[in-house]
Amino acid sequence: MKIASFKLGSAASYGVVTDGGIVDAGRRLKNFPTLKSLLAGGSLDDLRKMQSERVDHALMDVVLLPTVPDPDKIFCVGVNYATHLAESGHPTPQNPMIFTRFANSQVGSGQPMIRPPESERFDYEGELAVI
């Protein structure tokens, strides 16, 4: 199951992504106005049940947001890939490097990233989110 948070015009919502588009769960599940509230309520099965429902929006008509746009905390583990360590010339740390990110540093798929004027270039790396 694929889940997305999105904006259509000025209204934000979330839903299930299918081959045909997005089933708008935020519109259907009034008890859970955000994906974060649905996850906190342990109601992921409500989304599973919607996978075969008629889509509300074409994927190309919405602006994708970060999956959980309003997280309480974002903890990350860094320098945990041997190839990244080798290319950077750093030794393997004895313990994982834990760092934080902030909610406003996330962007949805296909959205522009803003480079701070203090930076000369973007750094790149892959990230995996576990919610």
Side-chain angles (χ1 to χ4, degrees):
M1 175 173 61
K2 294 179 184 176
I3 303 169
S5 290
F6 62 92
K7 195 159 59 166
L8 184 64
S10 62
S13 192
Y14 66 95
V16 179
V17 180
T18 69
D19 290 340
I22 297 181
V23 178
D24 192 338
R27 190 169 77 185
R28 289 174 168 81
L29 301 174
K30 301 297 183 191
N31 292 342
F32 302 109
T34 64
L35 179 56
K36 179 180 165 182
S37 64
L38 178 126
L39 294 171
S43 296
L44 201 54
D45 284 340
D46 289 346
L47 290 181
R48 282 191 186 91
K49 294 174 189 172
M50 292 183 184
Q51 291 181 92
S52 60
E53 291 188 22
R54 185 173 180 213
V55 300
D56 298 296
H57 314 292
L59 196 54
M60 62 188 266
D61 292 340
V62 303
V63 174
L64 293 173
L65 301 172
T67 305
V68 178
D70 56 344
D72 290 330
K73 299 171 190 70
I74 304 173
F75 292 103
C76 305
V77 179
V79 294
N80 55 335
Y81 290 97
T83 53
H84 185 60
L85 286 167
E87 74 183 14
S88 64
H90 294 291
T92 302
Q94 287 186 318
N95 299 301
M97 178 188 286
I98 307 296
F99 63 97
T100 60
R101 283 198 51 197
F102 299 96
N104 66 354
S105 70
Q106 302 181 92
V107 296
S109 179
Q111 301 309 305
M113 296 188 308
I114 309 296
R115 182 183 52 81
E118 297 81 15
S119 299
E120 294 177 10
R121 62 182 169 79
F122 283 110
D123 191 12
Y124 64 93
E125 59 186 73
E127 294 187 8
L128 169 68
V130 178
I131 301 170

